[in-house]
Amino acid sequence: MELLKNHLKATRKNEILWLVFSKITFLPLAILIAFLITGFLIILILFFLVCLVLYLTTFSIWRDHLNKRFGEASRFIEILESKTDTLKKTFQDLFRTQLPKNVYWIDFEIDPTSFEIKTLIHSTEPNSSIDISTVENSLTDLLKVDKSIIMKYKKTGWEADDNIQLSLELAQRWFTKVWVDEVSDEYKIRATFSVMSMDGHLDLKSGKWEDTSVFFGKPLQ
């Protein structure tokens, strides 16, 4: 999906720029400024030595880190693409389902510890019986992995949380794109995508992140 690949390219570019200007250029730049002010030759020699050390160590470390990080993200995009048809069918099933008029909000919540997607329905009658089990079962298993795998992955290094966050961003954009493509604008029920334990949600129709409480939702008229 080109949308996800473009997001990945933009994210990689931004991270490289951030690393270059915040992590790599600061010390050499400070040393170079010191040389320009003092004119001491030893400081200029130090400047070249620091640049050499950075090239031989930091550059290669960050290059390997970025290649691994975005290589894993690219493979995750392939997984998402392979599940697109299933998600399309799930949305079509939901659209065909006649939900009670007291239902005003459907939130698709993903668990970052397992990538399990839950369907949370908000209505003006909380105890009313609403059966969308086919949709719920399909979404639950769509991206789900064993929690022990995520826990093991988090032990591999400090960058694991960043990689999981990137995967959640990709899943969010994928989910939204398929929703916009498959669900009619006439669908009156508010639909959002959220991450468990994270404030706010993404409105699937507008594509904007919001902090609105479910209590401000409106039932069908």
Side-chain angles (χ1 to χ4, degrees), residues 73-138:
S74 294
R75 288 189 288 274
F76 185 64
I77 288 178
E78 293 176 359
I79 293 174
L80 294 177
E81 289 178 333
S82 70
K83 295 178 179 292
T84 296
D85 288 341
T86 302
L87 186 59
K88 286 181 178 179
K89 183 180 182 303
T90 303
F91 285 158
Q92 290 165 1
D93 290 341
L94 177 62
F95 184 69
R96 287 191 294 264
T97 302
Q98 294 295 320
L99 294 174
K101 287 191 175 183
N102 57 57
V103 174
Y104 63 88
W105 194 323
I106 296 179
D107 181 48
F108 303 100
E109 182 184 65
I110 189 169
D111 185 345
T113 66
S114 66
F115 278 68
E116 177 182 350
I117 300 174
K118 295 181 180 180
T119 307
L120 307 176
I121 296 179
H122 304 287
S123 72
T124 55
E125 300 177 18
N127 295 324
S128 61
S129 177
I130 302 171
D131 183 17
I132 56 168
S133 55
T134 301
V135 172
E136 290 176 325
N137 292 336
S138 178

Side-chain angles (χ1 to χ4, degrees), residues 18-161:
W18 180 81
L19 289 171
V20 168
F21 289 105
S22 67
K23 297 291 187 181
I24 296 174
T25 62
F26 177 77
L27 182 58
L29 183 60
I31 295 174
L32 186 59
I33 291 174
F35 167 72
L36 294 175
I37 294 174
T38 64
F40 292 156
L41 182 61
I42 187 66
I43 296 180
L44 183 61
I45 296 174
L46 178 62
F47 169 77
F48 286 113
L49 287 175
V50 168
C51 289
L52 179 62
V53 171
L54 286 174
Y55 177 79
L56 295 176
T57 57
T58 305
F59 283 5
S60 61
I61 291 173
W62 281 109
R63 183 187 64 243
D64 293 343
H65 163 71
L66 290 172
N67 287 341
K68 179 181 178 182
R69 171 170 161 75
F70 289 98
E72 291 177 353
S74 294
R75 288 189 288 274
F76 185 64
I77 288 178
E78 293 176 359
I79 293 174
L80 294 177
E81 289 178 333
S82 70
K83 295 178 179 292
T84 296
D85 288 341
T86 302
L87 186 59
K88 286 181 178 179
K89 183 180 182 303
T90 303
F91 285 158
Q92 290 165 1
D93 290 341
L94 177 62
F95 184 69
R96 287 191 294 264
T97 302
Q98 294 295 320
L99 294 174
K101 287 191 175 183
N102 57 57
V103 174
Y104 63 88
W105 194 323
I106 296 179
D107 181 48
F108 303 100
E109 182 184 65
I110 189 169
D111 185 345
T113 66
S114 66
F115 278 68
E116 177 182 350
I117 300 174
K118 295 181 180 180
T119 307
L120 307 176
I121 296 179
H122 304 287
S123 72
T124 55
E125 300 177 18
N127 295 324
S128 61
S129 177
I130 302 171
D131 183 17
I132 56 168
S133 55
T134 301
V135 172
E136 290 176 325
N137 292 336
S138 178
L139 289 175
T140 295
D141 297 329
L142 192 64
L143 301 177
K144 185 178 179 180
V145 296
D146 194 282
K147 289 189 176 183
S148 62
I149 295 177
I150 300 293
M151 292 299 296
K152 183 178 179 181
Y153 179 69
K154 284 194 171 187
K155 295 179 181 178
T156 60
W158 58 267
E159 75 278 4
D161 284 335

Side-chain angles (χ1 to χ4, degrees), residues 167-179:
S167 295
L168 289 171
E169 291 176 10
L170 293 171
Q172 171 185 297
R173 281 165 172 74
W174 168 72
F175 202 92
T176 305
K177 180 67 167 63
V178 177
W179 176 270

